[in-house]
Amino acid sequence: MKKEYNLKKMKRVSRKPLNPKTTKILKTFRIDADLFLWLQKSAEEVGIPYQTLMNSKLRALMKQADTPLKEQIREIVKEELKKAS
């Protein structure tokens, strides 16, 4: 290895901003064991990887949080009416 490098001739390469819809991020986090076991069991029953199930559950929760309470109640009432008929 050289003691010094001449970096003046280097070109700066920029990249496009990440698309949050298509970019996957690798992150380590901790969850309770019982929650993880439930997630694994549920994923096996559906036949998908537990990461995919976790992602879909979190996405549904995110959409629910963004939906006004009035709309959430309407959806619940619609579902219950369908079940009753």
Side-chain angles (χ1 to χ4, degrees), residues 12-24:
R12 184 179 178 110
V13 178
S14 62
R15 66 178 194 193
K16 298 176 186 176
L18 299 176
N19 182 348
K21 295 269 185 190
T22 59
T23 303
K24 299 286 184 182

Side-chain angles (χ1 to χ4, degrees), residues 69-85:
L69 183 59
K70 199 173 186 179
E71 281 186 44
Q72 291 178 33
I73 293 170
R74 280 189 181 136
E75 288 299 316
I76 293 169
V77 169
K78 283 181 189 178
E79 288 175 19
E80 292 301 318
L81 289 173
K82 283 181 185 178
K83 287 179 187 177
S85 58

